[in-house]
């Protein structure tokens, strides 16, 4: 049976995939970036177990991505950084998406069991020691 | 060769289809409806020839659409009214999407040539007399 | 009141915006391009007044767009050519999206009234003479 | 540091959220359901660590969802069942989305470590004993 920590990580992944594929392709410019950031965060925070979402669109990256006369780009992972906190039973998962070697990488930052989960081993589920290997 | 008025109507249709299919499926609740309305309008106003977009999410309809315990619905045309104004050369097109017989119908409201388009007949392109038949 | 030809152009625009923003962002590789082309065409042909849709994903462009180790790209207008035929009452509209100066441009190719529309002027609505100016 | 099993669950969640929010809103009818199922599976299988995806659109549910004259519905989780298998290092995660109390619920079915992961405890990561509580 999956542990609470595993369920929490699954839920965190769902939110990330949802945010990305719901909004990828949205026309964006520096003028519209603020309202898009806000709407993306508010929309995904509606989902179960999602405690907080922060989206930061990079205006400079948007300006560079505008490679034609129309004055806007289409949103991709190259243009934003996203952070989320998901809580499932007693387990809190923090995640982050940022550019890494030219690819917008979604990462588990840490997985922390506050001791109230139903998982009986703390060891593997306690990520308080730090981020995943690749995440620096 | 398509007239300026026809081009304007084509552009207006593009904006409607874009708005609808970019944002359909977005998690929405009365609490997140305002930021979503704003982001949808700002995003589509980035597109060429788009002068203004107004989105009104119907909070009562959202509440009714929430048929499970999670506290949010997914955005569909049943939950919003949209108005847009598109201008192509001298032609201004106003469009509207609202519920009609249970289907979110997108309509041309009127097509008005201010006389500066390159179209040499005014007749067929002057919609100032009123809305399309079905639009009431 | 909008003419049948204007309505037909509006409908054609809706289909284009829908197709683009529904599928932009879809993970695509040369191996998955054929099933995506097919599904995009079949999906949009469901919409009212849509007679035919053809989508051609450019496998070479997809390969070039794969700029990371994961082996896939995200669908954008840079990676495909789309043609559609929409018919509203007696008016047939042909449209096309293809790359033009680095921007995926959606174009009205022609607007042809077969004489059975309710439009009483044929002049402005007959696009049989050819494509729009910019479309070559 | 997150375990391999937690990473695998996070990856599985990403695929689910991606599939759902990329394709929600797609026009669908019994005639177009087969090509859509295929394209959804092929698209998501492009993503890292995704071994297999199966999508089954429920034609009867689609027919019931068509509540207007246009002959098509918009895809939602109410109209399909999805199964996926994701593998991250030595851990295989199986997931499933199906209707449950009127809500399309995404579930971890099981999490199996074949012994080659870098996780040093097998206990919490071995889900071979069965599905999660709610999953029937």
């Amino acid at each position: 049976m999956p542990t609470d920590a595993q369920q929490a990580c699954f839920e965190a992944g769902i939110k990330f995939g949802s945010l990305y594929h719901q909004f990828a392709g949205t026309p964006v410019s520096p003028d519209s970036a603020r309202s898009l950031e806000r709407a993306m965060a508010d929309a995904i925070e509606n989902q179960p177990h999602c405690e907080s979402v922060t989206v930061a669109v990079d205006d400079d990256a948007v300006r560079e991505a505008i490679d034609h006369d129309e004055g806007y780009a289409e949103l991709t992972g190259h243009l934003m950084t996203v952070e989320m906190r998901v809580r499932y039973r007693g387990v809190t998962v923090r995640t982050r998406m940022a550019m890494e070697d030219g690819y917008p990488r979604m990462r588990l930052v840490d997985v922390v069991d506050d001791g109230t989960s139903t998982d009986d081993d703390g060891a593997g589920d306690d990520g308080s020691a730090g981020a995943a290997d690749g995440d620096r």
Side-chain angles (χ1 to χ4, degrees), chain A:
Chain A
M1 193 152 83
T3 64
D4 287 349
Q6 291 167 357
Q7 297 276 13
C9 293
F10 180 59
E11 291 292 336
I14 291 172
K15 275 67 184 166
F16 246 119
S18 297
L19 180 144
Y20 196 96
H21 287 273
Q22 182 61 59
F23 295 101
T26 302
V28 64
S29 63
D31 284 350
S32 70
R34 299 295 84 72
S35 61
L36 183 56
E37 291 170 347
R38 175 78 187 280
M40 292 172 78
D42 288 355
I44 300 302
E45 286 177 355
N46 283 316
Q47 292 190 326
H49 313 297
C50 191
E51 290 202 333
S52 77
V53 178
T54 310
V55 179
V57 173
D58 177 340
D59 290 0
D60 289 336
V62 170
R63 280 187 204 96
E64 268 180 57
I66 299 176
D67 62 353
H68 54 74
D69 296 341
E70 305 301 350
Y72 69 98
E74 293 176 20
L75 189 70
T76 71
H78 295 75
L79 306 182
M80 58 180 166
T81 302
V82 180
E83 297 186 338
M84 290 196 201
R85 196 175 67 244
V86 164
R87 186 178 169 86
Y88 181 87
R89 294 185 183 164
V91 182
T92 299
V93 174
R94 289 193 306 134
T95 60
R96 186 166 200 271
M97 183 184 75
M99 291 303 292
E100 213 174 282
D101 302 327
Y103 182 75
R105 190 77 55 182
M106 300 175 190
R107 290 277 179 202
L108 280 177
V109 175
D110 57 26
V111 181
V112 179
D113 186 334
D114 69 4
T116 66
S117 84
T118 60
D119 297 350
D120 41 29
D121 71 314
D125 303 326
D126 181 352
S128 58
D133 265 8
D135 185 32
R136 15 213 101 240

